[in-house]
Amino acid sequence: MTMKRMIINMCMCGCIVAALVSLTSCNDELEVQQSYEFTVETMPVPKELAQGETAEIRCELKRSGEFADALYTIRYFQYDGEGALSLDNNLTLLPNDRYLLENEKFRLYYTSQCDESQNFIVVVEDVCCPLHKSSNVAMTFMFNSASNDE
């Protein structure tokens, strides 16, 4: 009897341990990654711009993973010189305002409005996690002044 009782007790303990393990390891929530690291690649741009001249900046957002509902915004800040930046849909951007990027391939158009050097930063951000360090890409653009006489 004692051997039979011992086998029954071992089976009961095994069942209890199995039940506890299965209850603690199960998670009904499905984790979906919504934010992936990304970069923005640009084609080369001119080094000089004369006042009134426009430079085209071709950009492509490259993601390390795909999330169908991913949204990205763009903004810029000009810290030297004067100029205007617009998207390829003719939307002129205001400094530090965020605008929704509609495509992963886009063009920016920068028009010089002064005869001195110009520097500005363009930031593309993942809307999902704007405070996460890897969720934004900052690009600096610098144009030296070029005379219209040349």
Side-chain angles (χ1 to χ4, degrees), residues 28 42 54 134:
D28 290 342
T42 61
T54 299
S134 65

Side-chain angles (χ1 to χ4, degrees), residues 2 5 10 20 28 36 44 62 65 68-69 72 74 86 99 110-111 124 126-128 137 140 147 149:
T2 60
R5 186 78 167 145
M10 284 176 44
L20 286 173
D28 290 342
Y36 291 94
K62 301 271 190 165
D69 295 330
Y72 296 89
I74 188 167
S86 61
Y99 299 90
Y110 179 78
T111 303
V124 176
D126 183 345
V127 173
C128 173
V137 172
T140 302
S147 170
D149 309 337

Side-chain angles (χ1 to χ4, degrees), residues 20-145:
L20 286 173
V21 167
S22 67
L23 289 175
T24 58
S25 66
C26 289
N27 185 352
D28 290 342
E29 294 180 25
L30 178 62
E31 290 188 30
V32 176
Q33 185 170 348
Q34 296 179 355
S35 179
Y36 291 94
E37 290 185 11
F38 68 96
T39 60
V40 178
E41 295 179 0
T42 61
M43 295 295 292
V45 296
K47 295 185 185 313
E48 295 183 345
L49 278 182
Q51 186 171 357
E53 190 175 6
T54 299
E56 177 184 65
I57 306 168
R58 295 181 185 193
C59 305
E60 184 173 357
L61 191 139
K62 301 271 190 165
R63 300 190 272 175
S64 65
E66 292 293 321
F67 177 64
D69 295 330
L71 294 174
Y72 296 89
T73 60
I74 188 167
R75 63 188 171 107
Y76 89 104
F77 176 73
Q78 182 145 8
Y79 56 92
D80 278 333
E82 290 181 34
L85 187 67
S86 61
L87 283 167
D88 48 9
N89 61 3
N90 293 324
L91 176 66
T92 299
L93 307 180
L94 297 175
N96 267 345
D97 283 359
R98 285 186 173 85
Y99 299 90
L100 189 63
L101 270 179
E102 296 173 357
N103 300 307
E104 291 183 22
K105 288 184 180 182
F106 58 97
R107 295 177 189 205
L108 299 171
Y109 296 96
Y110 179 78
T111 303
S112 171
Q113 296 177 335
C114 68
D115 59 358
E116 56 193 44
S117 64
Q118 296 134 77
N119 299 306
F120 59 96
I121 297 172
V122 174
V123 180
V124 176
E125 295 173 303
D126 183 345
V127 173
C128 173
C129 308
L131 299 177
H132 191 262
K133 186 175 183 178
S134 65
S135 69
N136 69 59
V137 172
M139 302 171 289
T140 302
F141 295 96
M142 295 178 239
F143 298 105
N144 292 321
S145 176

